[in-house]
Amino acid sequence: MGQKRKLAVISGATKGIGLAIAEKLLENGYSLAVCARQEQDLISLQQDWSLRFPMQEVLVLSADFSKKEDVIQFADAVKAQFTAIDILVNNAGVFHPGALIDEPEGQLEATIQLNLYSAYYLTRALMPLLDKGSSIFNICSVASLKAYPNGGSYSISKYALLGFSENLRDELKPKGIRVTAICAGATWTRSWSGAGIDQERFMEAQDIASIILTTHLLSPKTDVETVVMRPMLGDI
């Protein structure tokens, strides 16, 4: 009998933290089901991955996770192709800095929709494929833990995502499904390239990917509830 296929599902996987997680898991023998908004980015990645990781199965689907129907469509595609999930990473999200009293009308609703509801919808839809030994990682933020200047609706949404993680963990621990909130500080991605801040001040996305894989591979007797990661010199 052949070795059981390992599968990870990652939302928002074409850039930054999501991409680093995807490649770390591919390097360690996981097949992937990933989504992002930009179809061309996904096609390019799939072509690259098929050459570099020919033994892994990769499902890619263009999806706008600010829309519930796109989340459900992606989940249905995963369930149609796979029978079990080892790792689910709820990474899709958006960041708009600004003060609550000054931000555009509707920004809170739009931010909550993507940063919280997408994780809620996807997790619920994929629950039939999760079982004892599976791990769920919600990419929260240090903004989930403490208010900070110009955090605005983003910080509210990340507080909510942490609350979702904690409630979900309490529900799923009798089933042996682990839920970990990754509360990460400033991490280098292309979105920071025009900020005029030395890249050395940021964490590397690969470090978050390493934490996720290491946490999943721990003994099933252990549940890492919350991981807090910051740049060595502190928040930016």
Side-chain angles (χ1 to χ4, degrees), residues 18-227:
L19 177 58
I21 295 168
E23 298 214 325
K24 170 66 71 172
L25 295 177
L26 281 168
E27 290 166 0
N28 284 271
Y30 287 80
S31 291
L32 294 184
V34 302
C35 63
R37 291 188 186 187
Q38 299 299 321
E39 185 174 11
Q40 189 55 52
D41 290 345
L42 286 165
I43 292 171
S44 297
L45 270 180
Q46 188 173 38
Q47 292 171 343
D48 176 45
W49 289 343
S50 66
L51 293 173
R52 294 165 56 201
F53 308 103
M55 301 302 294
Q56 271 81 277
E57 187 174 358
V58 177
L59 169 67
V60 303
L61 185 69
S62 176
D64 180 353
F65 265 37
S66 67
K67 300 175 181 178
K68 180 180 180 180
E69 57 267 29
D70 278 26
V71 179
I72 301 304
Q73 181 182 17
F74 174 65
D76 287 344
V78 173
K79 288 187 285 188
Q81 188 160 333
F82 301 99
T83 59
I85 296 171
D86 296 277
I87 299 174
L88 168 60
V89 182
N90 288 305
N91 173 65
V94 65
F95 170 63
H96 296 297
L100 291 172
I101 59 172
D102 297 326
E103 63 187 15
E105 182 68 26
Q107 185 156 298
L108 175 61
E109 293 88 341
T111 304
I112 289 284
Q113 184 71 36
L114 183 54
N115 290 3
L116 173 65
Y117 289 169
S118 69
Y120 173 80
Y121 298 143
L122 186 61
T123 302
R124 282 166 52 91
L126 293 179
M127 193 54 61
L129 274 62
L130 295 160
D131 205 349
K132 184 175 182 180
S134 299
S135 298
I136 300 171
F137 294 92
N138 294 324
I139 306 301
C140 297
S141 168
V142 292
S144 301
L145 306 171
K146 181 181 179 181
Y148 69 96
N150 290 315
S153 288
Y154 172 79
S155 186
I156 292 174
S157 73
K158 291 298 186 178
Y159 266 95
L161 186 60
L162 179 60
F164 167 65
S165 303
E166 293 177 349
N167 281 273
L168 185 65
R169 180 185 309 116
D170 194 60
E171 289 185 15
L172 296 184
K173 61 186 179 183
K175 299 180 179 181
I177 300 173
R178 298 182 288 196
V179 179
T180 300
I182 304 293
C183 295
T187 305
W188 179 257
T189 64
R190 285 182 294 177
S191 61
W192 285 101
S193 59
I197 304 172
D198 186 351
Q199 186 174 341
E200 293 302 312
R201 273 290 279 118
F202 295 84
M203 295 191 298
E204 295 289 343
Q206 290 81 0
D207 290 338
I208 296 174
S210 295
I211 284 290
I212 284 177
L213 180 59
T214 299
T215 299
H216 175 68
L217 294 177
L218 294 174
S219 159
K221 298 177 181 179
T222 301
D223 187 4
V224 178
E225 297 183 349
T226 306
V227 174

